[in-house]
Amino acid sequence: ADQVSQGWNDAVSTRIVVRVVDHVSNVDGQLLKLQARLLTEKKNYSKPLVLTVVEPSLVPTLTASVNTGDADDIIMYQMQVQHTSGGSLAGAFHIVCVLHFDPMLHVNVSSINVSVGASVVHSVSGGAEMLIATISMLQESDVLRLNFSAYTDALLPYLSSSKANTTLTYQSC
């Protein structure tokens, strides 16, 4: 009811938060058309809305204390995954970070330290090791940090380069 004479303000604000389904067609910049409706006892209101899909942007980095080494050297690693979306206020969901190691590198499992509630699993496949870090959600501006050490194989030649490649997958649903 309009009660302006009594000093009432009948404005109603509604904030609608929409989470877009992680589907192949819903890509960054995609326009989605919606119809917003407000139903009241006296009148129905309808307004078309156009939303722009903004995907989370995750930036993985991996740093090592040294790039070369020889037999039985210890290398300190830090992997970071930062949510630097720019335009998205949404979190990134179901993030899986996989670190694949050269067969000449061996993870010191007891050295693994992880932030923001992620879980880490150490696995060996075909003689090569990997670390798999998972987290259910990373909010905008959050940083996932994974610190650990690895040692080089006793058979690694002097000043050889062993590396760890990172693979990052995530979905937002």
Side-chain angles (χ1 to χ4, degrees), residues 76-87:
M76 304 302 294
Y77 285 95
Q78 182 179 67
M79 181 196 73
Q80 290 191 142
V81 178
Q82 187 169 11
H83 185 327
T84 59
S85 64

Side-chain angles (χ1 to χ4, degrees), residues 3-50:
Q3 301 294 327
V4 174
S5 62
Q6 294 181 11
W8 295 2
N9 184 353
D10 289 338
V12 175
S13 294
T14 303
R15 180 176 181 216
I16 300 171
V17 178
V18 178
R19 187 183 303 167
V20 178
V21 175
D22 186 23
H23 187 269
V24 135
S25 64
N26 293 335
V27 295
D28 204 37
Q30 175 78 27
L31 298 179
L32 301 176
K33 296 177 182 171
L34 303 173
Q35 190 71 26
R37 285 182 278 187
L38 175 63
L39 309 173
T40 67
E41 289 179 12
K42 295 185 178 184
K43 189 170 182 180
N44 295 335
Y45 302 91
S46 180
K47 181 175 181 171
L49 298 173
V50 178

Side-chain angles (χ1 to χ4, degrees), residues 62 77 79 97-102 105 129-131 162-168:
L62 180 68
Y77 285 95
M79 181 196 73
C97 304
V98 182
L99 290 161
H100 294 276
F101 294 91
D102 205 85
L105 275 175
E129 297 181 44
M130 68 177 109
L131 289 177
S162 277
K163 58 186 183 256
N165 298 314
T166 58
T167 304
L168 171 67

